[in-house]
Amino acid sequence: MSVNGAALVIEGLHKSFGRLEVLKGIDLSVAEHEVVCLIGASGSGKSTMLRCVNLLEPIDRGRIFVEGDEITARGVDVNRIRQRIGIVFQAFNLFPHMSVMRNVTLGPMEALGMPREDAEDRGLGLLERFGLADKRDDYPDRLSGGQQQRVAIVRALAMQPDLMLLDEVTSALDPELVAEVLNVIRELAEGGMTMVIATHEMGFARDIARRILFLDEGVILEEGPPEQIFSSPREPRTQRFLQSIIEAGRM
Amino acid sequence: MSRGGTPPDLTRHEPADPRSPQGDRGSRILAPLRAEGARGVAIAVLSTLVFFTLATVAVLNSSGWPEIKQAFFDGEIFREAFPKILEKFTRNVVIFLSAEGLVLVLALLLAVLRNLTGPVFFPLRLIATAYTDLFRAVPTILVIALLGFGAPALRLKGVPNSDMFWAIVALTLVYSAYVAEVYRAGIESVHPSQVASARALGLSRRKTLRFVVLPQAVRRVIPPLLNDFIGLQKDSALVAFLGFTEGLRQAQIIQFENFDFTPYVALALVYVVITIPQARFVDWLVARDRRRRQAAIGV
């Protein structure tokens, strides 16, 4: 596995919460501009893996590289690392006491030290691109869930990250609001953004991902192109998982 | 906290929030009446009039009333005492406003120290914790006596011996301990996912605290903080213990001159007049927060 030339490399990642081992040795390489979808049951470790990549969870063992730099090395500046990696959460987590524009400019201004006008120019450009320019002065509680999640994506993009991590970003949305968020992610993929996406939206994963990873009990049990994973999964556990998804009518 | 409920005249002028659920807007005393309609209101008015008329007549005709009236409600003494008390009460106002300003800063500092994570900061956490424990344990009047009598007795250079100065210091020390706990509860009420979002953007701990945690925490603690301030304002009367001529001491002086307690009633009236509107304002803030939270959940 080559560390150089890959956007993200994970080697032997282990993570436990107390006695519970959530990640039991994850190895993964994501190329520049590649979109990878993580699927798997709740509790299979998808969220934990994404949080580890963003250093929101300290890891127990293993190494993680972003654009060739080891981010798990001793003495790295975690704030600098996080500036390069955008993450969007299931629960939006917008700052409720700030306007949409301030949500979007906070990172560039306070983490990157960008002057206000530049940050607002960048923010407005992104808000316009995703049809949110008229919401710039609104507070998050005035927005629908779909709008809030789109703002959360814009907030992450405003940092111009090398890599985006999306953690079940449509799971908290009403069904009719899912599409608008998925369309934003599609546009990002078409723009060449490198993304690791944990999702329960199998149809979307099939459309957008170059590669699907099936996470089961803390390991990547099976991976491959979407056609292969969704039509002829090799592992019995992958088959069972996909079967349950089909039975739930979510595919 | 909102024992008295919310006066309807305050909430009615609020711009109606289309998402806020109706009901629970008026006072808890009046709400049951509204449910009963016009007949209920008529009965309530009538029974209130009858009750208070009978009570007044009973009090005024009781054998001890003339003595009570003379000792506590002497109109002439009241007219003489009230302006004097009010004049000295301005000293209480200076004391409690100064203390409140200082408390806001010192308490926030203590709360932030107590929330520092990491083993290096253990001594700071320890100091902040010991401080809040200590000053919530010792009676306020004792702290006032200790500083007001004790500090000037040292005759140290540069140490002021003004009663007012030490009164402000004592009230600031005591109330900072309470308000620090209020702030701390507010800080802890900000959901960890807010911190995660800010840190994920690459913001440092300090900037996360400053831009994301504290603004939300402070907004939430305004009602309990104002309640503590009402307590502080009332406790400014404890300064009389130093012999400092503020409102209570002035009332006492007039009482000694006239052998009459009406000056105390006059001072009590001053406290009632400044305190009740603040308490109502707190109730209104609490009710507004509750409405907003319900609206937010409803989205």
Side-chain angles (χ1 to χ4, degrees):
Chain A
M1 195 179 295
S2 155
V3 165
N4 291 314
L8 171 68
V9 173
I10 300 176
E11 288 178 2
L13 172 58
H14 287 257
K15 171 69 188 173
S16 301
F17 292 107
R19 280 197 189 154
L20 180 68
E21 193 173 24
V22 181
L23 300 177
K24 302 171 182 169
I26 301 280
D27 292 291
L28 172 66
S29 176
V30 181
E32 295 260 9
H33 312 304
E34 191 182 4
V35 175
V36 171
C37 281
L38 293 174
I39 63 169
S42 301
S44 59
K46 304 187 297 288
S47 292
T48 305
M49 185 179 137
L50 294 182
R51 291 174 70 90
C52 285
V53 172
N54 202 20
L55 305 179
L56 285 174
E57 297 289 350
I59 69 171
D60 298 335
R61 255 191 299 155
R63 301 202 292 173
I64 302 172
F65 301 83
V66 172
E67 303 278 334
D69 301 327
E70 186 183 348
I71 64 171
T72 43
R74 273 166 172 269
V76 295
D77 180 350
V78 292
N79 297 328
R80 295 287 292 277
I81 306 279
R82 292 192 181 119
Q83 289 162 18
R84 300 167 58 184
I85 307 171
I87 187 165
V88 182
F89 304 94
Q90 180 177 338
F92 327 143
N93 298 351
L94 292 179
F95 305 126
H97 60 299
M98 295 181 187
S99 69
V100 164
M101 182 54 97
R102 183 71 179 134
N103 264 279
V104 172
T105 55
L106 182 73
M109 284 173 63
E110 301 306 334
L112 301 178
M114 193 183 267
R116 177 181 294 276
E117 299 99 76
D118 297 357
E120 290 193 345
D121 282 351
R122 184 189 278 187
L124 194 60
L126 286 166
L127 290 173
E128 273 168 359
R129 183 171 150 201
F130 297 111
L132 292 160
D134 59 325
K135 305 290 179 200
R136 56 175 292 176
D137 297 321
D138 282 348
Y139 282 78
D141 64 348
R142 309 294 302 184
L143 305 182
S144 72
Q147 288 166 339
Q148 289 190 52
Q149 192 60 295
R150 278 149 64 205
V151 172
I153 294 172
V154 167
R155 180 174 68 176
L157 288 174
M159 297 295 289
Q160 298 191 330
D162 297 329
L163 170 70
M164 285 280 279
L165 310 172
L166 306 182
D167 186 7
E168 299 195 19
V169 294
T170 57
S171 299
L173 295 175
D174 290 335
E176 74 271 20
L177 302 174
V178 169
E180 62 182 86
V181 173
L182 294 185
N183 287 337
V184 167
I185 302 169
R186 265 196 198 95
E187 200 196 316
L188 289 180
E190 283 159 13
M193 178 61 77
T194 313
M195 286 189 281
V196 181
I197 304 172
T199 186
H200 285 301
E201 303 285 339
M202 297 301 155
F204 171 71
R206 194 209 303 251
D207 281 357
I208 198 172
R210 194 188 298 174
R211 209 150 36 110
I212 304 284
L213 310 177
F214 175 63
L215 220 65
D216 187 69
E217 298 198 334
V219 294
I220 297 173
L221 193 64
E222 183 167 1
E223 66 169 284
E227 314 80 69
Q228 186 249 308
I229 296 283
F230 287 119
S231 30
S232 50
R234 286 188 305 270
E235 297 287 337
R237 299 182 78 103
T238 318
Q239 292 163 6
R240 267 208 300 281
F241 173 72
L242 291 172
Q243 189 59 39
S244 70
I245 296 281
I246 290 165
E247 279 165 11
R250 297 197 62 165
M251 196 156 152
Chain B
M1 199 173 290
S2 58
R3 272 184 292 267
T6 310
D9 55 325
L10 278 177
T11 50
R12 242 178 239 157
H13 299 302
E14 266 265 277
D17 185 338
R19 292 168 307 171
S20 97
Q22 298 300 310
D24 198 26
R25 288 209 138 189
S27 113
R28 283 189 201 152
I29 305 173
L30 297 180
L33 280 185
R34 238 172 256 142
E36 287 181 33
R39 190 166 159 272
V41 174
I43 293 173
V45 169
L46 194 66
S47 74
T48 307
L49 281 175
V50 169
F51 176 83
F52 282 106
T53 309
L54 286 178
T56 309
V57 168
V59 167
L60 294 181
N61 290 305
S62 66
S63 58
W65 173 244
E67 287 78 20
I68 291 173
K69 182 170 183 268
Q70 203 193 2
F72 293 97
F73 305 104
D74 188 311
E76 200 178 310
I77 292 177
F78 184 92
R79 272 189 295 279
E80 187 208 338
F82 192 76
K84 287 185 188 165
I85 289 169
L86 206 56
E87 187 204 328
K88 291 298 186 287
F89 184 76
T90 56
R91 293 177 167 182
N92 295 69
V93 174
V94 172
I95 289 170
F96 69 65
L97 285 183
S98 311
E100 283 171 1
L102 294 168
V103 163
L104 284 177
V105 179
L106 181 60
L108 186 59
L109 183 72
L110 286 165
V112 168
L113 287 183
R114 254 192 112 156
N115 271 278
L116 288 176
T117 49
V120 190
F121 298 117
F122 182 77
L124 293 178
R125 279 204 301 277
L126 191 70
I127 289 171
T129 310
Y131 179 96
T132 47
D133 283 354
L134 182 68
F135 279 99
R136 286 188 303 164
V138 180
T140 309
I141 194 162
L142 187 52
V143 177
I144 288 174
L146 212 59
L147 290 173
F149 293 134
L154 293 175
R155 297 174 191 281
L156 290 177
K157 254 198 192 148
V159 174
N161 56 10
S162 127
D163 286 334
M164 195 185 250
F165 175 84
W166 289 110
I168 292 168
V169 171
L171 288 172
T172 301
L173 290 176
V174 170
Y175 274 88
S176 290
Y178 288 102
V179 174
E181 289 299 288
V182 168
Y183 273 134
R184 192 164 71 102
I187 289 171
E188 283 170 6
S189 78
V190 176
H191 198 271
S193 64
Q194 286 287 309
V195 176
S197 288
R199 299 303 308 274
L201 287 172
L203 262 64
S204 63
R205 267 182 214 284
R206 203 173 54 81
K207 288 196 167 174
T208 300
L209 188 68
R210 175 171 153 209
F211 292 108
V212 174
V213 177
L214 287 183
Q216 295 187 60
V218 168
R219 249 161 263 221
R220 277 179 217 180
V221 301
I222 288 172
L225 190 139
L226 290 180
N227 269 339
D228 277 349
F229 277 1
I230 292 171
L232 190 158
Q233 290 163 19
K234 295 197 293 177
D235 276 358
S236 71
L238 295 174
V239 180
F241 190 62
L242 298 178
F244 177 68
T245 316
E246 44 67 76
L248 177 57
R249 184 80 186 133
Q250 179 64 55
Q252 200 176 21
I253 290 167
I254 303 170
Q255 180 235 321
F256 288 154
E257 287 167 355
N258 297 281
F259 306 103
D260 190 285
F261 300 101
T262 304
Y264 289 143
V265 175
L267 178 62
L269 190 69
V270 175
Y271 275 103
V272 164
V273 165
I274 66 158
T275 302
I276 288 182
Q278 294 181 76
R280 282 290 169 272
F281 180 62
V282 172
D283 288 348
W284 176 76
L285 283 179
V286 171
R288 191 191 63 174
D289 279 1
R290 193 194 303 125
R291 273 203 311 280
R292 287 193 176 162
R293 258 202 307 282
Q294 283 167 347
I297 292 164
V299 165

